[in-house]
Amino acid sequence: QVQLVESGGGLVQPGGSLRLSCAASGRAPSGTSLEYYDFGWFRQAPGKEREAVSCISSSDNSTFYADTAKGRFTISRDNAKNTVYLQMNSLSPEDTTVYFCGASNYLITTAREYLYWGQGTQVTVSS
């Protein structure tokens, strides 16, 4: 199976930056290579549904950004390292929550369509 491990979260001051990493390993039962998966970063606050922050395709690196992420966050992937990144700049307290990495067969923003998830990494923005 595919395993995803997020890292890079932590405590930062408002206006600060973090870079989240999602390291993928393993393979699907079909043997599909990790480089053919689309990936997404999602946030899930307590009592809230998991919602897309940014997604990136496998085919042409097409991307999606939530309105709240545009201009502040940048998603990228390094297929040689089987890793997806989310560069988060100009962070505000509203960004505080757990961020999850997911893998999908499509560039999709609906969490239920994702096949694999990491354990999440906590981002806290506070003075």
Side-chain angles (χ1 to χ4, degrees), residues 4-80:
L4 307 177
V5 179
E6 302 98 332
S7 62
L11 174 64
V12 296
Q13 295 184 358
S17 298
L18 288 172
R19 189 174 77 154
L20 307 185
S21 297
C22 173
S25 61
R27 63 178 183 173
S30 65
T32 300
S33 175
L34 295 171
E35 68 187 85
Y36 296 111
Y37 284 100
D38 302 326
F39 288 87
W41 285 100
F42 288 70
R43 57 174 285 152
Q44 187 168 24
K48 303 282 188 177
E49 293 189 353
R50 194 167 295 184
E51 60 182 2
V53 176
S54 184
C55 308
I56 188 167
S57 73
S58 62
S59 58
D60 61 357
N61 286 333
S62 295
T63 57
F64 160 84
Y65 292 97
D67 288 342
T68 55
K70 291 178 181 177
R72 299 192 300 132
F73 297 174
T74 303
I75 191 170
S76 61
R77 64 190 296 168
D78 186 338
N79 289 333

Side-chain angles (χ1 to χ4, degrees), residues 85-103:
Y85 304 96
L86 184 68
Q87 179 66 45
M88 310 171 74
N89 298 327
S90 301
L91 287 164
S92 70
E94 290 71 35
D95 298 313
T96 296
T97 190
V98 179
Y99 287 77
F100 295 87
C101 176

Side-chain angles (χ1 to χ4, degrees), residues 104-124:
S104 173
N105 287 328
Y106 309 95
L107 182 63
I108 190 75
T109 60
T110 306
R112 60 181 171 84
E113 298 291 340
Y114 279 70
L115 304 176
Y116 306 100
W117 293 100
Q119 83 289 348
T121 185
Q122 175 72 46
V123 171
T124 302

